[in-house]
Amino acid sequence: MKKLLFAILLSISGNSFAQNYKITYLKSSNGSLIEGQDPIWVFASVDKTLLSTENISNQKATSPFEQTQIDRSNNSFYQTATLKSSEVIAMKDSLSLAKQNFEYLNDTKKILGYSCKKAKTIVNSNTIEFWYTDELKIKGAPTVLGQNLGLVLEMVRNGNFVIAATKVEKIKSFPAMALPKKLVDILTYKDLLWKSRFTTITVFKDQIINFSDASKSNDSILRFANGTIAVRKVKFPEIKNGSQIFVDITEQSNGDAYDRTGSFFMIPTDKELSFLNGLQNGAKTLPIYTNGNGKEYQGVVTTENYYPVVELMRFFTPFGVKQYNYLELKNKTWAESVLYRQEVSDLRSLLSGKEVWLGINIGNYDKGGHKVSANITIHTEEESKAKPTQIVPLFCTNNIMEMAGQEYGTMFNNDKGLEVPFTLDKPMKNCKLRYITTGHGGWENGDEFVPKKNSIYLNGKETFSFTPWRQDCGSYRLSNPASGNFPNGLSSSDYSRSNWCPGTVTNPIFIDLGDLEAGVHTIQIKIPQGLPEGGSFSAWNISGVLIGE
């Protein structure tokens, strides 16, 4: 009985008087301390370790943020995350610590007066070196990695990134860390934490883009051109200058087997007329552009009372992904969908703090059509040297309303091409033309398969010219199950094209235009468009916005 009582008292005494430590760490890159960092605070005792930061401990941290507690009684750890929504999630990992492997080296040195030994490991091709001490009889590290070595006082990644202890203090009590009653699995935890780091705006979810009289609008999404266009109003928060903005679109065939032009676009409504008027009242109600070739082109250029659409992303559907995956070929495993993802940060000023009309179009004549989802994600940058910009929409010849009678972009069969006068109310510096171009005409001699030079003129002077051409289309074969195969061993989706491939995004290029004074200017695009053959003809879908400071 006396021995049992003594053991209990000894246990209580050991827990009550176990020494607790707080270790402060700072991060350096290439020999210089990282400015404005939140120092890492590690609390350690014989039986547990807590990874936190100064701001978290002082309740000044901006969410999302994490804390990690190592339970040395069972060699496991808990991670707790406070998300932007103030929701707290947690997970437990009982396996990772035991799986860590290290090479123990003979090097030694002193850090903060403590004798340290060296170990290293390689993680994802990164060499990480650890300097740790056994003198304090506790274990801990500024990351989960290296927790069982001893007390890690310095970590060096690839020789140029260092996390080093700057202070080791004895403290009276170990900080409390409450865990939520409900734990989530590790993948769910990581996913929720990752998504909490940025803002996601869902624009369309499993939206059908097809050609059918049965395609109707609802309270939130308007359908036009027999269902080939979907439009909705979206409200954006204020977006900090320098933040990164991305569009992502997921597409599957819902019946259509062909490669089609797709566009994710914004409808400017700053002037008396907008593209929305054309959607609601017919393409003929939009301003008409002519260049002497005998055709009328509806809503393609800016005028005194109209802005054309701004294409955030031009994309092309593959040949029948998902719907036609039953068309088997040996050693080919078809993709289930296609993901298009592109940065559109340069268009921030059109979106920030505004409620805007966003639309998506896939030109097709199929009743099943395509199924698409579209999101915009906003990733805030803490510090940026980016300068605010102003944007002027100039032209878009992509006939988004093709299935409602909008003319194809065939104006380049005339030497005048596309000529767009525009007026600047005030000077703009460091101007760039954000230019998207793709050639079309899907037969042997059509401009889709023939390289053609695009020439850009500013105020009558040639400023830039290039030949848009993609030679990497064969890289996307696994997204094209219904692509036709030819006797020469190539599939249709393999063929090089005028700046696009089935199943890809067409990136804009940025053409420097210099500083522009206030007043009237003219931008002109010339392309040697090919001649028709029988019922086949070529066309060019180009769009451009002026971006300047």
Side-chain angles (χ1 to χ4, degrees):
M1 183 68 178
K2 287 182 179 181
K3 288 183 179 180
L4 179 59
L5 180 60
F6 177 76
I8 293 172
L9 289 172
L10 182 63
S11 174
I12 295 172
S13 174
N15 288 334
S16 299
F17 296 103
Q19 184 59 62
N20 302 301
Y21 291 89
K22 183 181 88 171
I23 305 94
T24 301
Y25 297 84
L26 290 177
K27 292 175 279 191
S28 301
S29 179
N30 294 313
S32 300
L33 281 175
I34 297 174
E35 295 182 3
Q37 64 179 289
D38 182 14
I40 298 170
W41 281 5
V42 171
F43 301 90
S45 65
V46 173
D47 58 346
K48 57 187 175 182
T49 303
L50 172 63
L51 278 63
S52 188
T53 71
E54 180 180 323
N55 286 345
I56 294 173
S57 299
N58 293 329
Q59 298 183 348
K60 294 181 179 179
T62 302
S63 59
F65 57 82
E66 283 185 288
Q67 289 181 289
T68 304
Q69 182 169 307
I70 289 83
D71 183 350
R72 303 206 173 276
S73 66
N74 56 21
N75 202 30
S76 63
F77 66 88
Y78 296 87
Q79 282 189 314
T80 300
T82 301
L83 308 182
K84 280 187 177 181
S85 61
S86 297
E87 179 187 2
V88 178
I89 59 172
M91 67 88 170
K92 181 180 180 180
D93 188 328
S94 303
L95 303 175
S96 296
L97 292 180
K99 291 180 178 179
Q100 295 179 8
N101 293 310
F102 302 92
E103 178 185 354
Y104 297 92
L105 307 174
N106 295 324
D107 309 57
T108 61
K109 72 174 180 179
K110 284 210 168 188
I111 300 175
L112 299 178
Y114 299 101
S115 297
C116 294
K117 294 180 282 188
K118 188 179 184 182
K120 77 172 185 179
T121 190
I122 296 177
V123 178
N124 299 334
S125 300
N126 295 288
T127 298
I128 305 173
E129 299 168 321
F130 303 82
W131 291 94
Y132 63 97
T133 182
D134 295 323
E135 292 185 355
L136 293 173
K137 309 302 180 185
I138 58 170
K139 294 181 178 180
T143 69
V144 170
L145 191 62
Q147 282 294 328
N148 288 338
L149 286 171
L151 179 60
V152 175
L153 295 179
E154 186 174 290
M155 290 178 62
V156 183
R157 187 186 69 205
N158 297 330
N160 56 21
F161 180 79
V162 179
I163 305 176
T166 59
K167 188 189 299 183
V168 178
E169 305 170 77
K170 292 182 179 180
I171 56 175
K172 291 183 179 180
S173 58
F174 199 95
M177 180 179 173
L179 292 173
K181 294 180 180 179
K182 183 179 179 180
L183 300 177
V184 298
D185 64 88
I186 294 175
L187 286 180
T188 298
Y189 174 89
K190 290 180 177 179
D191 184 62
L192 291 172
L193 176 60
W194 172 67
K195 289 177 178 176
S196 186
R197 297 188 185 281
F198 54 90
T199 300
T200 300
I201 297 174
T202 299
V203 183
F204 298 105
K205 178 67 174 176
D206 294 332
Q207 180 67 48
I208 300 299
I209 304 295
N210 63 345
F211 185 82
S212 171
D213 291 339
S215 299
K216 304 297 181 183
S217 301
N218 58 36
D219 291 340
S220 61
I221 297 175
L222 304 181
R223 304 286 301 279
F224 299 102
N226 285 80
T228 59
I229 302 171
V231 175
R232 63 168 298 205
K233 187 175 280 190
V234 177
K235 188 172 184 178
F236 285 85
E238 293 290 337
I239 304 173
K240 185 178 178 181
N241 186 44
S243 294
Q244 307 296 299
I245 308 169
F246 282 79
V247 168
D248 66 75
I249 293 174
T250 304
E251 183 269 344
Q252 292 178 327
S253 168
N254 195 52
D256 190 15
Y258 280 94
D259 52 335
R260 306 292 192 181
T261 304
S263 181
F264 184 62
F265 57 91
M266 193 207 86
I267 301 175
T269 55
D270 308 76
K271 294 190 175 184
E272 179 185 349
L273 283 175
S274 76
F275 192 74
L276 191 62
N277 295 111
L279 291 174
Q280 294 170 331
N281 303 315
K284 291 183 179 180
T285 63
L286 296 174
I288 301 299
Y289 172 77
T290 60
N291 68 355
N293 71 352
K295 290 190 175 183
E296 295 185 341
Y297 301 94
Q298 311 97 335
V300 297
V301 300
T302 185
T303 67
E304 185 177 343
N305 64 347
Y306 172 81
Y307 277 139
V309 301
V310 175
E311 288 192 293
L312 278 72
M313 177 193 284
R314 175 88 58 81
F315 64 96
F316 291 87
T317 69
F319 288 93
V321 70
K322 179 64 175 179
Q323 183 74 15
Y324 293 86
N325 283 10
Y326 63 84
L327 299 171
E328 295 182 324
L329 291 177
K330 190 175 180 63
N331 296 325
K332 293 283 191 292
T333 302
W334 306 122
E336 288 295 303
S337 62
V338 172
L339 173 66
Y340 313 91
R341 183 167 166 83
Q342 180 184 319
E343 184 181 358
V344 293
S345 307
D346 46 290
L347 301 178
R348 180 196 67 90
S349 61
L350 291 180
L351 307 174
S352 178
K354 297 179 180 178
E355 191 171 29
V356 301
W357 287 97
L358 295 179
I360 194 164
N361 154 253
I362 297 175
N364 74 97
Y365 287 96
D366 189 90
K367 187 175 182 179
H370 303 258
K371 180 188 291 186
V372 295
S373 295
N375 302 300
I376 293 178
T377 60
I378 302 167
H379 308 258
T380 302
E381 292 287 344
E382 294 302 321
E383 184 176 339
S384 175
K385 296 180 181 178
K387 295 182 179 180
T389 58
Q390 50 183 320
I391 296 175
V392 181
L394 294 178
F395 54 86
C396 179
T397 70
N398 182 8
N399 56 333
I400 291 168
M401 276 196 285
E402 173 189 352
M403 285 69 192
Q406 188 181 17
E407 185 61 69
Y408 287 84
T410 58
M411 65 280 292
F412 304 101
N413 64 357
N414 183 298
D415 185 61
K416 187 176 181 180
L418 184 73
E419 190 174 72
V420 187
F422 62 96
T423 302
L424 296 182
D425 296 329
K426 54 185 179 181
M428 289 176 65
K429 293 183 177 181
N430 300 318
C431 294
K432 298 179 186 300
L433 178 69
R434 183 184 189 266
Y435 182 67
I436 301 173
T437 178
T438 53
H440 302 273
W443 81 101
E444 183 179 359
N445 298 315
D447 284 5
E448 180 175 321
F449 298 109
V450 179
K452 295 292 181 74
K453 184 170 77 169
N454 286 218
S455 300
I456 292 87
Y457 295 77
L458 177 64
N459 297 327
K461 182 179 179 181
E462 184 173 345
T463 301
F464 185 80
S465 65
F466 76 113
T467 300
W469 191 245
R470 288 280 293 269
Q471 294 178 294
D472 60 329
C473 297
S475 301
Y476 309 97
R477 181 67 181 94
L478 295 181
S479 296
N480 289 275
S483 177
N485 298 303
F486 298 108
N488 64 359
L490 290 177
S491 175
S492 178
S493 64
D494 293 330
Y495 277 82
S496 300
R497 287 173 167 82
S498 289
N499 214 31
W500 63 276
C501 300
T504 69
V505 169
T506 292
N507 291 320
I509 66 165
F510 293 85
I511 301 167
D512 290 327
L513 300 179
D515 299 339
L516 296 181
E517 298 295 328
V520 178
H521 301 272
T522 302
I523 196 106
Q524 185 179 24
I525 313 296
K526 292 186 177 184
I527 305 169
Q529 179 181 302
L531 296 175
E533 291 185 17
S536 299
F537 62 92
S538 293
W540 281 83
N541 292 342
I542 68 169
S543 66
V545 297
L546 181 69
I547 303 176
E549 299 168 11

